[in-house]
């Protein structure tokens, strides 16, 4: 784990966050700067920089993230329209180098994204 990784610190509890769900492998917490009525971040506890760094070893983890998104969308009543997105690399808008999936819902979304 890189010593200055903010999401590793959230995963370990060293930095407080508004946690919606947690299990042995992932943490789901509310984004500090929400862009929708529901804006959560889903992260693996394991430090991986971004999707490009994932390997076959991470297949189960990546599947868990998608299923967690589905369950939390149902729990928070945004099943009629939600978006699950990961920004991979600076050009895509990634600002925190620990893989994370934004779960956004509660408003109408535009396409294509900016
Ligand atoms: P990205 O730009 O895709 O890397 O997304 C990083 C997201 O992390 C942004 O939406 C930030 O608002 C969010 N963020 C950064 N630090 C924290 C934190 N300590 N707690 C919750 N969300 C955070």
């Amino acid at each position: 784990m890189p010593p200055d990784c903010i999401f590793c610190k959230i995963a370990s509890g060293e930095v407080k966050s508004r946690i919606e769900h947690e299990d042995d492998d992932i943490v789901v917490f509310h984004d500090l700067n929400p862009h929708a009525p529901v804006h959560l971040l889903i992260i693996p506890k394991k430090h991986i920089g971004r999707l490009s760094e994932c390997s076959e070893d991470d297949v189960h983890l990546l599947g868990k993230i998608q299923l967690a998104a589905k369950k939390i969308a149902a729990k928070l009543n945004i099943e009629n329209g939600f978006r699950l997105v990961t920004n991979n690399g600076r050009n895509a808008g990634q600002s925190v180098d620990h893989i994370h999936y934004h779960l956004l819902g509660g408003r109408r979304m535009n396409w294509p994204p900016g």
Side-chain angles (χ1 to χ4, degrees):
M1 154 185 165
D4 56 349
C5 175
I6 184 73
F7 286 179
C8 281
K9 288 180 179 173
I10 286 174
S12 71
E14 186 183 337
V15 167
K16 294 291 160 226
S17 64
R18 203 177 136 211
I19 291 179
E20 189 64 40
H21 169 80
E22 180 173 9
D23 65 25
D24 287 346
D25 300 314
I26 65 172
V27 185
V28 184
F29 56 98
H30 291 259
D31 197 295
L32 268 185
N33 181 27
H35 291 293
V38 174
H39 186 173
L40 301 171
L41 298 173
I42 309 176
I43 65 167
K45 290 185 171 176
K46 169 185 171 184
H47 182 87
I48 303 170
R50 53 183 174 154
L51 185 57
S52 298
E53 294 174 17
C54 288
S55 70
E56 294 296 323
D57 293 343
D58 302 311
V59 165
H60 181 71
L61 197 52
L62 294 169
K64 262 193 104 162
I65 287 171
Q66 297 231 26
L67 290 178
K70 180 194 100 161
K71 286 180 197 156
I72 289 161
K75 181 181 162 194
L76 299 182
N77 294 313
I78 56 166
E79 269 181 311
N80 60 340
F82 64 86
R83 189 167 286 170
L84 184 66
V85 63
T86 190
N87 295 326
N88 187 90
R90 290 287 176 269
N91 274 1
Q94 183 176 9
S95 61
V96 178
D97 291 330
H98 180 130
I99 188 172
H100 51 281
Y101 284 76
H102 298 258
L103 174 61
L104 299 136
R107 67 166 170 81
R108 193 160 187 91
M109 303 284 165
N110 298 315
W111 192 262

